[in-house]
Amino acid sequence: MKRTLALLTAISILIGSTAGLVGSGNSGDMSITAASSSSTSVATDGNGTSYRVDITQVNQSATLTNESVSMTNRTENSVSFEGFIQSPTPCHTLTQDVSKNQSLLEIDIDLEDSGEVCTQQVVMKEYEGRAEMDDLSEVVVKHRGETMAVFETEESSTENNEEDETQGSFRKLMSWLSSLF
């Protein structure tokens, strides 16, 4: 009887510790993973100016809690960035709504229910994005209508560049620390 009770306890602990955990993330942290999703917006306005915005989900994590966006690269006509957006379940997919106003692109990232039966667990969806357009001067990244970051294509000052590097380093440190637990 004691052996059976001990065996049942061990099995329930093992099952409980892995509940909601499927796979392993790219950066060594434990996470819920799903098929990578990607969306692209390509449009041309009435003046013949075209733009392209790509957003790709790269990972999901149940250990991170703060939404953020940071720039990873910029050129004269493009801005690359990465971010985390909170999702009510792992089965939600990323969506984007892009609007253009002269040399400004606004990208509003949101989530859409996939309609799948899914575990009810809040996760952070990690994504990478890139915005390209001739004469691009500024990119505004929003999460569900709330401005998260504003990036200029040309370096306006050394202070802004140092701040972007600090944010990226802090995010990597937090990701590494979360992988320890």
Side-chain angles (χ1 to χ4, degrees):
M1 180 70 168
K2 288 183 181 179
R3 285 185 189 177
T4 304
L5 184 57
L7 180 60
L8 289 174
T9 302
I11 290 172
S12 63
I13 290 172
L14 179 62
I15 291 171
S17 67
T18 59
L21 184 61
V22 180
S24 173
N26 293 336
S27 62
D29 59 358
M30 299 302 282
S31 64
I32 297 170
T33 59
S36 172
S37 64
S38 177
S39 67
T40 301
S41 294
V42 179
T44 304
D45 67 9
N47 298 329
T49 303
S50 64
Y51 65 84
R52 177 185 178 101
V53 175
D54 296 304
I55 304 291
T56 304
Q57 179 183 324
V58 293
N59 200 5
Q60 297 187 115
S61 175
T63 58
L64 300 175
T65 58
N66 293 327
E67 292 192 15
S68 65
V69 179
S70 59
M71 183 169 40
T72 57
N73 192 29
R74 65 177 152 199
T75 65
E76 186 177 323
N77 296 319
S78 71
V79 171
S80 297
F81 53 91
E82 59 188 6
F84 292 91
I85 187 169
Q86 189 176 55
S87 174
T89 73
C91 297
H92 279 69
T93 57
L94 294 173
T95 64
Q96 65 176 326
D97 183 34
V98 180
S99 61
K100 176 187 171 299
N101 184 4
Q102 297 179 350
S103 63
L104 167 78
L105 284 179
E106 282 191 1
I107 306 163
D108 192 5
I109 300 171
D110 205 346
L111 297 157
E112 182 176 88
D113 188 352
S114 66
E116 299 175 27
V117 176
C118 192
T119 182
Q120 298 298 303
Q121 180 178 13
V122 175
V123 296
M124 294 299 282
K125 294 199 176 272
E126 180 180 8
Y127 64 88
E128 294 176 343
R130 180 173 172 88
E132 299 175 30
M133 180 176 74
D134 288 341
D135 299 324
L136 181 66
S137 66
E138 196 170 64
V139 175
V140 177
V141 180
K142 299 179 177 185
H143 287 177
R144 294 175 294 281
E146 181 182 336
T147 300
M148 298 297 295
V150 178
F151 304 121
E152 296 177 357
T153 54
E154 298 176 8
E155 291 188 39
S156 59
S157 73
T158 307
E159 181 180 314
N160 286 343
N161 190 30
E162 289 173 1
E163 184 175 313
D164 292 338
E165 289 176 13
T166 302
Q167 288 176 351
S169 298
F170 179 72
R171 189 192 63 74
K172 288 177 185 175
L173 174 63
M174 292 305 294
S175 179
W176 177 80
L177 286 173
S178 69
S179 71
L180 296 176
F181 301 102

